């Protein structure tokens, strides 16, 4: 799909959203709105028909969608293997994902 692909040709819509307010490293201050932002965006995209993977740190740490490196990598890998050539993938990745160590982002 290119930027010139008409919207009506999109077959499926996917989103990966990551929000982290609390860091393990005490050198980083707590944030107040990253989780609220992705939860709100999740609700909007859901109404628009997106299939969403929403990772945020208000989930239980044992949840597969708690934003650890391995969970974020697994969701991104799964989406890359699932998204088709006429699908749209929306990524809401802020600087916090870089702290998870995913190379290339």
């Amino acid at each position: 799909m290119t930027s010139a692909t008409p919207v009506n040709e999109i077959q499926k819509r996917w989103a990966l959203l990551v929000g982290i307010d609390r860091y393990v490293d005490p050198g980083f201050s707590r944030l107040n709105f990253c989780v609220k932002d992705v939860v709100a965006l999740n609700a909007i995209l859901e109404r628009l028909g997106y299939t969403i993977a929403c990772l945020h740190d208000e989930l239980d740490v044992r949840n597969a969608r708690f934003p650890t490196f391995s969970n974020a990598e697994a969701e991104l890998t799964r989406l890359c293997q699932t998204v088709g050539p006429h699908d749209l993938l929306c990524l809401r990745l802020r600087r916090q994902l870089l702290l998870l160590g995913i190379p290339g982002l």
Side-chain angles (χ1 to χ4, degrees):
M1 188 166 91
T2 68
S3 59
T5 303
V7 173
N8 60 352
E9 290 184 23
I10 295 171
Q11 292 180 358
K12 294 182 183 176
R13 290 170 169 77
W14 306 87
L16 174 60
L17 312 176
V18 179
I20 300 172
D21 283 344
R22 296 170 287 145
Y23 293 93
V24 175
D25 186 332
F28 292 97
S29 300
R30 178 179 166 78
L31 301 174
N32 296 316
F33 302 106
C34 288
V35 172
K36 289 179 185 175
D37 287 351
V38 298
V39 170
L41 184 55
N42 183 83
I44 292 167
L45 293 177
E46 201 171 62
R47 286 192 302 271
L48 294 173
Y50 280 75
T51 299
I52 305 161
C54 185
L55 288 73
H56 60 79
D57 61 6
E58 286 186 3
L59 297 169
D60 185 283
V61 297
R62 296 168 295 199
N63 188 308
R65 294 231 169 128
F66 188 83
T68 63
F69 171 79
S70 59
N71 290 349
E73 182 179 45
E75 288 292 348
L76 186 56
T77 299
R78 182 186 64 76
L79 283 169
C80 288
Q81 293 169 347
T82 305
V83 172
H86 296 285
D87 293 353
L88 176 67
L89 175 60
C90 171
L91 301 175
R92 171 66 159 81
L93 310 173
R94 304 210 2 169
R95 283 188 241 170
Q96 65 265 26
L97 195 58
L98 296 177
L99 296 173
L100 294 172
I102 295 179
L105 294 181

